[in-house]
């Protein structure tokens, strides 16, 4: 008998077909989001799960799923998974690193340019039929070229964002828990600075840290007060790293010039203040969503699940934090 596995959300057919060669698969191609109760019932006699960031995998759930051996997330971020609880129960957890760095970096640049040059605001104006003709002072934006880009969190995606900044002839500064090797700094043309210097000097500050208790509200009112009032803030990493209420207040008061956000605290709901502001570009957590990349992510998660349940050695096994 093949091991039973659950696929919690809709996936591409090639990933389902691949899983079907190894497992007795319960899919969810209707893509109905599962409440914790529904998920616990669906997983009760499963050995594996292909999950997304919409499902919370915690001790309360694991306690109800005694046969579960592996949870393979279709995402590089894994703040929806309690790794300690998984480890304690002998459940392997995996993510999808590497395959989405370039697409996420591309999208970060889409947010940078759209926010600095007011692209969505200008388009909305035009679509609303308000355009009566060319004006010298229409939709004056902020130049990206030759500006100072600050990168908070210099992992794979942060580095890919830095490399793209060369085309705009920018000064690139970064802050990270660990300073990178001189070789990587050189390849990214990026200089390491303290958090305070990053906040003070960045014209554009972009966040690329994972979300964890250590990065919760890493950018709050205190940090925003240290930024230039002309600066823009970009987040295509995770909600919760920025204090959204503090950001809404800073944008309203003119303490920051704008923000480009793909992720939010309490997704899919967002702070209502964002919707009232014209100086924000808002997208629904789609930074990695190019067709090719989302296919690669689903396939890599499926490969992890097959390896986990057949060899016990998935390529992207996550270790609990020490
Ligand atoms: C998307 O947000 C991911 O973590 O892959």
């Amino acid at each position: 008998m093949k091991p039973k596995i659950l696929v919690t959300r809709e996936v591409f057919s090639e990933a389902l077909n691949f899983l079907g060669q190894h497992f007795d698969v319960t899919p969810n191609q209707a893509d109905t989001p599962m409440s914790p109760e529904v998920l616990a019932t669906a997983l009760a006699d499963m050995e594996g799960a292909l999950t997304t960031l919409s499902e919370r995998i915690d001790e309360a759930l694991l306690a109800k799923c005694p046969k579960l051996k592996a949870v393979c997330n279709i995402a590089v971020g894994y703040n929806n998974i309690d790794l300690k609880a998984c480890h304690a129960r002998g459940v392997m957890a995996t993510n999808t690193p590497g395959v989405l760095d370039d697409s996420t970096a591309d999208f970060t640049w889409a947010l940078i340019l759209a926010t600095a040059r007011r692209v969505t605001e200008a388009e909305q104006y035009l679509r609303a039929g308000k355009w009566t003709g060319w004006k010298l002072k229409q939709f004056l934006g902020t130049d990206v070229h030759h500006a100072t880009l600050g990168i908070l969190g210099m992992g794979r995606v942060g580095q890919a964002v830095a490399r793209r900044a060369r085309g705009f002839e920018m000064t690139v500064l970064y802050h990270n828990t660990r300073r990178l090797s001189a070789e990587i700094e050189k390849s990214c043309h990026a200089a390491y600075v303290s958090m305070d210097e990053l906040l003070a000097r960045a014209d554009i500050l972009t966040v690329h840290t994972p979300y964890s208790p250590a990065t919760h509200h890493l950018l709050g009112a205190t940090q925003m007060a240290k930024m230039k009032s002309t600066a823009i803030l970009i987040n295509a990493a995770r909600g919760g790293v920025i204090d959204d209420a503090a950001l809404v207040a800073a944008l309203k008061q003119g303490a920051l010039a704008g923000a480009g956000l793909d992720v939010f605290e309490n997704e899919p709901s967002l702070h209502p203040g964002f919707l009232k502001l014209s100086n924000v570009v808002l997208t629904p957590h789609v930074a990695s969503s190019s067709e090719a990349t989302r296919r690669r992510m689903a396939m890599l998660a499926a490969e992890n699940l097959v390896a986990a349940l057949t060899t016990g050695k998935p390529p992207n096994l996550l270790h609990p934090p020490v």
Side-chain angles (χ1 to χ4, degrees):
M1 241 175 41
K2 289 176 178 174
K4 286 181 168 185
I5 65 129
L6 175 73
V7 180
T8 60
R9 299 295 298 268
E10 182 182 14
V11 291
F12 299 99
S13 55
E14 67 266 23
L16 265 193
N17 294 340
F18 175 62
L19 290 168
Q21 291 164 22
H22 301 268
F23 306 128
D24 175 357
V25 182
T26 301
N28 177 13
Q29 292 300 82
D31 210 26
T32 318
M34 296 187 185
S35 67
E37 296 73 30
V38 171
L39 183 63
T41 308
L43 271 180
D45 68 340
M46 301 281 170
E47 286 185 44
L50 204 73
T51 57
T52 70
L53 47 84
S54 344
E55 296 89 40
R56 175 112 204 100
I57 311 296
D58 55 14
E59 173 54 27
L61 177 86
L62 297 177
K64 294 177 192 151
C65 311
K67 295 188 187 161
L68 200 60
K69 292 189 188 129
V71 172
C72 299
N73 222 26
I74 310 175
V76 67
Y78 49 86
N79 52 296
N80 59 312
I81 301 177
D82 181 339
L83 286 184
K84 272 194 188 153
C86 286
H87 190 67
R89 289 194 172 265
V91 175
M92 291 171 268
T94 67
N95 67 340
T96 60
V99 294
L100 49 80
D101 306 341
D102 283 319
S103 297
T104 305
D106 286 354
F107 195 85
T108 301
W109 275 95
L111 284 180
I112 291 173
L113 290 165
T115 308
R117 300 301 306 275
R118 304 173 63 184
V119 174
T120 54
E121 199 187 341
E123 188 189 352
Q124 278 159 17
Y125 173 88
L126 186 147
R127 282 181 186 272
K130 293 181 184 166
W131 191 33
T132 53
W134 189 89
K135 282 186 199 162
L136 187 65
K137 290 187 175 177
Q138 203 156 44
F139 290 107
L140 299 174
T142 304
D143 275 329
V144 171
H145 67 85
H146 298 96
T148 296
L149 176 68
I151 303 180
L152 180 58
M154 195 66 157
R156 287 178 305 262
V157 178
Q159 290 172 34
V161 169
R163 287 193 299 271
R164 284 157 173 74
R166 276 217 92 191
F168 292 89
E169 300 180 58
M170 300 177 88
T171 299
V172 181
L173 308 175
Y174 78 95
H175 183 74
N176 198 42
T177 40
R178 273 178 299 120
R179 185 170 177 173
L180 303 177
S181 68
E183 201 183 4
I184 298 179
E185 284 185 355
K186 199 168 161 210
S187 73
C188 293
H189 297 267
Y192 177 80
V193 292
S194 69
M195 178 77 167
D196 275 353
E197 187 172 348
L198 189 81
L199 294 170
R201 288 181 58 194
D203 296 310
I204 297 160
L205 181 62
T206 181
V207 177
H208 298 286
T209 62
Y211 179 69
S212 72
T215 58
H216 177 73
H217 287 185
L218 191 58
L219 291 175
T222 311
Q223 292 72 27
M224 289 171 203
K226 294 178 181 173
M227 294 175 67
K228 296 178 187 176
S229 60
T230 50
I232 65 172
L233 184 54
I234 305 293
N235 188 4
R238 272 295 179 276
V241 178
I242 293 177
D243 177 343
D244 284 352
L247 179 55
V248 167
L251 290 165
K252 261 194 198 162
Q253 292 154 11
L256 287 177
L261 307 168
D262 186 48
V263 289
F264 307 88
E265 290 190 275
N266 312 314
E267 286 175 22
S269 41
L270 51 158
H271 191 294
F274 285 132
L275 299 174
K276 296 191 192 123
L277 292 165
S278 56
N279 52 345
V280 287
V281 173
L282 306 167
T283 52
H285 203 145
V286 290
S288 66
S289 192
S290 74
E291 168 131 17
T293 291
R294 286 281 167 96
R295 282 184 188 275
R296 267 188 236 122
M297 289 165 68
M299 205 58 193
L300 182 55
E303 285 161 9
N304 271 297
L305 190 49
V306 171
L309 296 186
T310 54
T311 67
K313 290 195 171 65
N316 304 117
L317 183 64
L318 293 163
H319 298 287
V322 255

